[in-house]
């Protein structure tokens, strides 16, 4: 596809990508486990070390799937039909699934990386999906909390790279299509996303910025969406860090995100 419009990142010089160095210096956590660890960011602050990333509260709020879903919804960003909280029992899951309509997907509220996710196409499959998702969530995230959402078949996974400074400026650096996956793990990333209608592309970018602005986001981050065959899209999660795939956007825009 053709390169994205230059207007998307003309504001980059105004973004303060590198944090102001304090007396004790600064730490860039990269894209490893510490990059989205709110406790680590708090330790840095208490030691007078600038954590180059969002503040601990933002990491915590957006790191929990249910919290992030509520934030996106309150910001006017579309979310998948589903429950507004963790499921308390299998019967509650069945009631939600009946209201949403099968297929549904169960997700770990503290999840990521495709763990703690199970799809159910009917009620008999829901019981096994519920038990398995809870067990995976407990093992991976030390919390068995799961919630239910509508499962979109043949959906695409599209994410929007954003940058924010400490003065409230937030911009996007266009999108990456990461639909090619194995076990919910991304294999190939493309930018710009192929076969994406210009109006949908613009709406995706606007939704990502709106979501980031609602939590006063600063530093680099990524807002992820599920794009349905109909052209509708839904908020999935926000990664409050530099992603390993950020060079794809750097190659397209010429912007050094780090």
């Amino acid at each position: 596809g053709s390169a994205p419009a230059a207007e998307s990142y003309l504001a980059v010089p105004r973004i303060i990508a590198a944090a102001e160095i304090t007396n004790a210096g600064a730490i860039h956590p990269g894209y490893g486990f510490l990059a989205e660890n709110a406790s680590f960011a708090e330790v840095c602050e208490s030691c007078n070390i600038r954590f180059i990333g969002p503040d601990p509260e933002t990491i915590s709020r957006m790191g929990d799937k249910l919290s992030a879903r509520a934030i996106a919804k309150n910001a006017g960003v579309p979310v998948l039909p589903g429950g507004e909280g963790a499921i308390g029992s299998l019967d509650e899951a069945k009631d939600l699934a009946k209201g949403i309509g099968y297929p549904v997907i169960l997700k770990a509220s503290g999840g990521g990386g495709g763990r703690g996710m199970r799809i159910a196409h009917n009620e008999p499959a829901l019981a096994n999906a519920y038990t398995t998702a809870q067990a995976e969530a407990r093992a991976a995230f030390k919390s068995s909390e799961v919630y239910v959402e509508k499962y979109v078949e043949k959906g695409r996974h599209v994410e929007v790279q954003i940058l924010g400074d400490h003065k409230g400026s937030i911009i996007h650096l266009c999108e990456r299509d990461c639909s090619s996956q194995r076990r919910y793990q991304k294999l190939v990333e493309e930018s710009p996303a192929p076969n994406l209608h210009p109006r949908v592309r613009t709406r995706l970018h606007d939704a990502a910025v709106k979501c980031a602005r609602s939590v006063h986001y600063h530093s680099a981050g990524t807002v992820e969406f599920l794009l349905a065959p109909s052209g509708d899209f839904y908020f999935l999660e926000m990664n409050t860090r530099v992603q390993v795939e950020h060079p794809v956007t750097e190659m397209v825009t010429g912007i050094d995100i780090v």
Side-chain angles (χ1 to χ4, degrees), residues 164-184:
D165 65 16
H166 289 268
K167 299 181 180 179
S169 298
I170 297 176
I171 62 168
H172 69 81
L173 297 184
C174 304
E175 79 290 337
R176 299 185 293 262
D177 188 305
C178 47
S179 302
S180 179
Q181 301 182 9
R182 178 177 181 270
R183 296 180 180 177
Y184 304 110

Side-chain angles (χ1 to χ4, degrees), residues 26-143:
I27 289 179
H28 192 297
Y31 45 75
F33 292 115
L34 291 178
E36 288 184 293
N37 188 311
S39 297
F40 178 70
E42 288 176 351
V43 169
C44 289
E45 284 189 356
S46 66
C47 295
N48 199 31
I49 298 172
R50 176 60 60 88
F51 179 82
I52 302 180
D55 57 68
E57 182 184 2
T58 300
I59 296 174
S60 181
R61 293 176 68 195
M62 300 309 287
D64 182 271
K65 293 285 186 68
L66 281 170
S67 171
R69 173 188 164 90
I71 289 169
K73 186 175 182 179
N74 290 337
V77 176
V79 298
L80 286 161
E84 300 305 321
I87 304 166
S89 66
L90 177 58
D91 287 338
E92 184 181 349
K94 289 179 179 179
D95 290 341
L96 280 169
K98 286 179 183 177
I100 298 168
Y102 288 95
V104 297
I105 183 168
L106 290 91
K107 297 180 178 179
S109 61
R115 291 169 294 180
M117 294 171 59
R118 282 293 181 270
I119 301 166
H121 286 85
N122 49 53
E123 189 169 294
L126 185 63
N128 182 61
Y130 177 67
T131 303
T132 305
Q134 275 195 321
E136 286 187 354
R138 188 182 303 110
F141 311 110
K142 295 181 174 59
S143 171

